[in-house]
Amino acid sequence: MTTPPSWQPPIGPEWPHEFFASPDALVLGGFPDEDTSRQEAEQVAALIGLRAGMVVADIPCGPGRHLVHWARRGCCAVGLDASPYMLRAAAATAERYAVHVHLVRGLMERLPFGREVFDVVVNLFNSFGYLPDDAANQRVITEAARCLKRGGLFLLDTRNPVAQILCAPLDDWVLLPQGRLLRVTATYLRATKRLEVQWIEADRGQRVYAASLRLYNLEELKGMFARAGLRLEAVYGDFAGTTFAGHLQMILLGRKG
Ligand SMILES: C[S@@+](CC[C@H](N)C(=O)[O-])C[C@H]1O[C@@H](n2cnc3c(N)ncnc32)[C@H](O)[C@@H]1O
């Protein structure tokens, strides 16, 4: 029988910087493999009508697993991430694919780019809702819109909160490559509308990683797009372009007016 994890301090706003600083994030975050990443990049390219010469920004880019494929198509590919570890991984990915990508360290809520520079901005793989309050999460979309050219596209690939709430509470085990065993628990807190995830060292009972995601429903996201001056063009349930109908994935495509 498993015992409940002992009390751990609340998860602070700095969690993304701690979590994504480690190679463990690639395992615990369940990042898709290279073939899946290539397929996703091609499918996203089709959804946004990507053409050679376009300037596309992947914010946040993580290990650059999508970016390199857009560079191969002749796009000017810009990746921004807060994590030096992820940026090093992205540089290694670009080297492996022998393409040039522009990698920038920065915050998605305060982009270090000028106005109207990108044809497309994407935010992929559930990288939204990390910030501590609604105003800060809104800034992620507003900043993306600010940096888009008129008529440019913003694609947000997030998860359907209904499906995520149904999967919580979760209590499971995960084995890291070095043989370290972690217990993972996930709880949805109705009061804050956040999914709180923690990974606890099996031996010492101490929390080693944590994540806290504000889950936004479709109506809330529509409001956030509108406030950023983005006209919603489509909502998909997968990268193949199936219209969203309660899928696990929720992909919003907005155009700057
Ligand atoms: C789940 S990963 C997804 C990365 C990439 N989009 C992908 O599909 O592989 C989330 C990324 O967000 C980055 N990140 C977290 N908070 C950030 C912030 N405030 N500004 C910029 N990047 C951030 C992390 O370092 C991590 O690489």
Side-chain angles (χ1 to χ4, degrees):
M1 200 180 91
T2 27
T3 50
S6 56
W7 185 87
Q8 307 281 343
I11 297 167
E14 285 304 305
W15 75 262
H17 303 287
E18 290 157 13
F19 183 75
F20 292 108
S22 159
D24 291 342
L26 294 176
V27 180
L28 302 177
F31 281 65
D33 64 19
E34 211 152 329
D35 283 346
T36 309
S37 301
R38 184 187 315 113
Q39 191 189 6
E40 288 176 355
E42 296 308 326
Q43 289 177 315
V44 168
L47 291 182
I48 58 185
L50 206 66
R51 295 185 308 276
M54 280 185 165
V55 189
V56 55
D58 188 1
I59 300 173
C61 65
R65 59 195 188 90
H66 298 116
L67 203 57
V68 289
H69 300 290
W70 304 326
R72 286 175 88 190
R73 286 171 162 249
C75 294
C76 172
V78 179
L80 175 134
D81 206 283
S83 156
Y85 170 74
M86 288 295 175
L87 289 169
R88 281 196 301 276
T93 310
E95 203 176 314
R96 219 170 46 251
Y97 279 84
V99 290
H100 182 68
V101 295
H102 303 271
L103 297 173
V104 179
R105 186 169 180 211
L107 298 174
M108 54 183 158
E109 65 272 29
R110 203 171 56 234
L111 295 178
F113 306 117
R115 303 176 68 83
E116 306 191 2
V117 286
F118 300 125
D119 295 294
V120 178
V121 175
V122 298
N123 177 310
L124 302 175
F125 196 45
N126 215 16
S127 304
F128 187 68
Y130 290 1
L131 294 159
D133 55 50
D134 290 343
N137 286 315
Q138 171 74 60
R139 273 201 296 280
V140 173
I141 300 181
T142 306
E143 277 289 88
R146 177 182 67 77
C147 298
L148 275 178
K149 296 175 186 171
R150 298 226 162 261
L153 288 170
F154 176 60
L155 184 139
L156 176 68
D157 160 38
T158 182
R159 298 265 172 84
N160 177 356
V162 177
Q164 283 198 297
I165 293 165
L166 284 177
C167 294
L170 168 92
D171 193 343
D172 209 346
W173 297 93
V174 54
L175 188 63
L176 288 173
Q178 324 87 293
R180 229 169 135 203
L181 184 64
L182 302 182
R183 179 174 179 186
V184 52
T185 66
T187 317
Y188 177 71
L189 300 184
R190 278 186 196 286
T192 56
K193 299 183 183 165
R194 296 187 82 95
L195 187 71
E196 306 283 345
V197 189
Q198 52 183 355
W199 289 266
I200 297 161
E201 190 104 56
D203 300 341
R204 294 180 295 140
Q206 232 173 27
R207 184 167 75 204
V208 282
Y209 297 113
S212 169
L213 278 89
R214 167 68 161 92
L215 305 185
Y216 289 98
N217 65 36
L218 186 53
E219 287 314 306
E220 288 175 308
L221 290 173
K222 281 180 179 172
M224 293 171 103
F225 269 52
R227 280 192 289 282
L230 295 167
R231 198 178 60 247
L232 193 65
E233 293 216 326
V235 184
Y236 304 111
D238 56 36
F239 285 132
T242 310
T243 300
F244 176 75
H247 294 71
L248 179 60
Q249 223 176 345
M250 203 162 69
I251 303 164
L252 285 81
L253 186 65
R255 191 179 292 278
K256 182 167 172 175

